[in-house]
Amino acid sequence: MPRRLRNHRVYWTVGLLCLLTAREPARGQAENRAFDVLGYVATIRPDIETRRVSGEVTISLRFSSNDVKTIEFDRGELAIEEVRHEGKRLGFALPPRRVRVQLPKPAARGTSADFVISYHGEPKTGLQFVPERQQVYTIFSTSQWLVCVDAPGDKATLDLQVVLPAGLRAIGSGALVSERPGPDGTIVHRWRQTQPVSTYLFGFAAGRFTEVEAMHGKTTLRYLGDGFSRDDLSRIFADTPDILEFFAGRAGVAYRDATYTQVLVANTAGQEASGFSLLSDAYGRAVREEPTAISLIAHELAHQWWGNLVTCRDWTHFWLNEGFATFMAAAYDEHRFGPEAYRRDIERARVRYEEVRQNGDDRSLVFTDWNRPTPSDRTLVYQKGAYVLHLLRQEIGDERFWAGIRRYTATHAGGSVTTDDFRRSMEEGSGANLQSFFDRQIYLRP
Ligand SMILES: [Zn+2]
């Protein structure tokens, strides 16, 4: 029916475009680092009324080079107050969006060290304050609220404490450890993410949320929103257990966390985080009215495997996150609504890609530079990425295609990947030689 289709389309395309825009400021990461971050232990104090944040983070790392004299972290627009190491203050410089720390003596490869950094700021991105709704939530650009290494390939654990006013419900990355009284009537919420994940997936959200909890197998499903009844939330997220089941089957890897939480917040285009996703109130209302408009719910949930568990090693291979999530949402539509829904989704992706191609802006899906993506570049990563996966499925057939996907996901679960890793897994899983397909469709080699 026309209205159905219209709603479906609007939330499928507009949502994803905005999502990328929101994530862009994260790209300023230090390349060729001389160290690997093992974990972050942080306490964050967001002030919803004044839109400010202060925090302290202990970064534990291991040096991967010899004779390291300085190290750099991403800090967005945050002001750095102090850097300490073994109880002593260290000197630091502040190049744009970075903090460069002077080590007391050159570090040797294989040794470990902790650095404690205090900071504050008024983030314009990365942390969304909505005082009129008593909401605060993170938006991808983690270095705007947590000094860190903002590169997807450096996965690390997180022990996060967020100090919030009493009376708010909060969710964060990892398992809830405690909620205890803090200073001045606040509540200190603490979560621990014990499996290393990329820092862009670190996050939290707080507000006056109503909550519905459901069990699916061993997974606890939580649905939260403000201005929605429990019945609304149950209806909006009614397909979540089936989506989770579907992707676990396609991935051949079970959902990893104990909990998957979906939160409707004041304004977001939709974003995945470790163990949870944020969607907007407007999208929630659209799904309440039109239960078939669930592509974005599926897209974000697909990221729990393709993006979160198997992550592009750097942004040059970003299509492995977004082309996958976009394609997987179409595959779910096929499972849920039939082949015609899948064909529609893929055709929509093809048409968007074709516009870019007609304009002469087609290029390799592996970007040499993703620092300033154009709208066409985004279309390539999302829509062409999804379309190429569809072509690959056509090329080798369903059985071999999904065998390859299972091989790829299981082989690289918890790791970081390049497009070549994907090709090799698909070849191993399917038994097909795919070099010429990849040359043609992905790299645009003659
Ligand atoms: Zn996405």
Side-chain angles (χ1 to χ4, degrees):
M1 280 159 282
R3 186 168 156 268
R4 250 179 202 207
L5 296 180
R6 199 161 52 239
N7 271 355
H8 198 72
R9 183 170 60 242
V10 166
Y11 289 97
W12 197 73
T13 53
V14 175
L16 301 183
L17 261 186
C18 306
L19 178 149
L20 245 189
T21 314
R23 190 182 293 174
E24 266 172 64
R27 280 141 237 262
Q29 64 276 157
E31 300 298 342
N32 302 317
R33 279 178 315 278
F35 61 88
D36 171 38
V37 177
L38 306 175
Y40 299 85
V41 178
T43 299
I44 310 293
R45 290 171 291 272
D47 186 323
I48 298 174
E49 297 305 322
T50 63
R51 300 171 193 259
R52 291 186 180 144
V53 66
S54 65
E56 186 175 83
V57 59
T58 301
I59 305 177
S60 301
L61 56 81
R62 186 184 296 127
F63 292 100
S64 49
S65 298
N66 271 315
D67 202 29
V68 182
K69 298 184 179 72
T70 61
I71 52 174
E72 285 191 18
F73 303 110
D74 297 294
R75 64 174 176 95
E77 306 297 321
L78 292 168
I80 305 297
E81 295 162 11
E82 193 176 85
V83 181
R84 292 191 305 281
H85 169 65
E86 295 177 349
K88 294 195 188 74
R89 291 173 79 143
L90 300 183
F92 60 86
L94 297 175
R97 306 168 71 86
R98 302 266 181 84
V99 52
R100 182 184 303 137
V101 179
Q102 189 70 44
L103 301 185
K105 59 176 196 296
R109 182 188 170 91
T111 57
S112 302
D114 289 354
F115 298 87
V116 184
I117 303 176
S118 309
Y119 57 90
H120 66 269
E122 296 177 52
K124 302 283 182 291
T125 58
L127 199 51
Q128 185 77 49
F129 299 95
V130 190
E132 63 278 17
R133 302 282 301 278
Q134 275 291 291
Q135 289 187 10
V136 58
Y137 48 90
T138 51
I139 310 183
F140 287 130
S141 304
T142 300
S143 60
Q144 298 286 354
W145 56 271
L146 176 76
V147 177
C148 66
V149 173
D150 228 346
D154 195 350
K155 296 190 175 188
T157 60
L158 173 68
D159 186 324
L160 178 64
Q161 294 195 108
V162 181
V163 183
L164 291 162
L168 300 188
R169 207 183 287 266
I171 61 123
S173 297
L176 180 68
V177 176
S178 59
E179 289 177 326
R180 58 182 171 76
D184 305 321
T186 56
I187 301 291
V188 182
H189 304 255
R190 183 177 186 183
W191 301 273
R192 198 175 288 140
Q193 169 76 46
T194 54
Q195 303 270 12
V197 298
S198 307
T199 55
Y200 79 89
L201 298 168
F202 291 177
F204 62 89
R208 293 194 188 112
F209 300 124
T210 299
E211 176 171 353
V212 172
E213 203 174 287
M215 288 302 293
H216 179 68
K218 290 181 185 157
T219 310
T220 304
L221 301 173
R222 300 172 68 199
Y223 315 138
L224 284 78
D226 175 15
F228 294 88
S229 69
R230 291 172 51 83
D231 279 356
D232 287 341
L233 293 169
S234 298
R235 188 156 85 196
I236 293 162
F237 296 112
D239 287 304
T240 299
D242 188 53
I243 301 172
L244 191 80
E245 190 82 29
F246 176 77
F247 288 143
R250 289 303 190 222
V253 176
Y255 179 71
R256 185 168 65 169
D257 295 325
T259 304
Y260 180 62
T261 305
Q262 292 170 102
V263 191
L264 298 172
V265 295
N267 185 25
T268 175
Q271 55 172 314
E272 76 280 17
S274 181
F276 70 92
S277 294
L278 302 184
L279 302 155
S280 71
D281 287 350
Y283 178 70
R285 285 193 295 271
V287 179
R288 185 177 60 190
E289 300 307 314
E290 181 44 74
T292 63
I294 54 174
S295 273
L296 196 54
I297 290 174
H299 178 108
E300 303 308 345
L301 187 39
H303 274 313
Q304 296 294 324
W305 286 268
W306 302 286
N308 295 16
L309 192 63
V310 179
T311 314
C312 59
R313 193 186 63 190
D314 54 54
W315 301 119
T316 63
H317 301 279
F318 192 35
W319 83 277
L320 293 174
N321 287 18
E322 296 304 340
F324 262 73
T326 307
F327 170 80
M328 289 297 170
Y332 180 73
D333 273 346
E334 178 180 38
H335 157 83
R336 177 71 176 79
F337 303 113
E340 190 49 40
Y342 173 78
R343 274 196 291 275
R344 241 179 2 242
D345 289 351
I346 295 299
E347 178 58 12
R348 205 174 294 134
R350 191 194 65 78
V351 166
R352 294 278 307 280
Y353 163 48
E354 189 56 28
E355 285 167 15
V356 171
R357 211 178 65 81
Q358 296 284 338
N359 289 336
D361 292 331
D362 194 11
R363 54 187 289 198
S364 166
L365 275 177
V366 179
F367 282 73
T368 49
D369 175 9
W370 188 258
N371 286 329
R372 270 185 283 276
T374 65
S376 295
D377 293 342
R378 296 178 196 128
T379 301
L380 294 178
V381 161
Y382 281 79
Q383 276 79 31
K384 180 184 176 181
Y387 180 59
V388 165
L389 288 171
H390 161 75
L391 292 180
L392 180 56
R393 180 185 184 183
Q394 277 194 325
E395 172 109 353
I396 60 178
D398 259 22
E399 202 174 312
R400 293 204 293 174
F401 176 79
W402 291 112
I405 294 290
R406 289 193 299 276
R407 176 71 166 236
Y408 168 65
T409 314
T411 304
H412 297 287
S416 304
V417 283
T418 63
T419 302
D420 247 6
D421 292 326
F422 173 53
R423 180 185 54 78
R424 270 192 297 273
S425 289
M426 288 305 289
E427 290 182 337
E428 287 162 9
S430 70
N433 184 333
L434 299 174
Q435 189 64 58
S436 71
F437 178 91
F438 273 62
D439 282 346
R440 207 168 59 244
Q441 301 293 353
I442 290 173
Y443 298 103
L444 297 187
R445 289 171 187 147

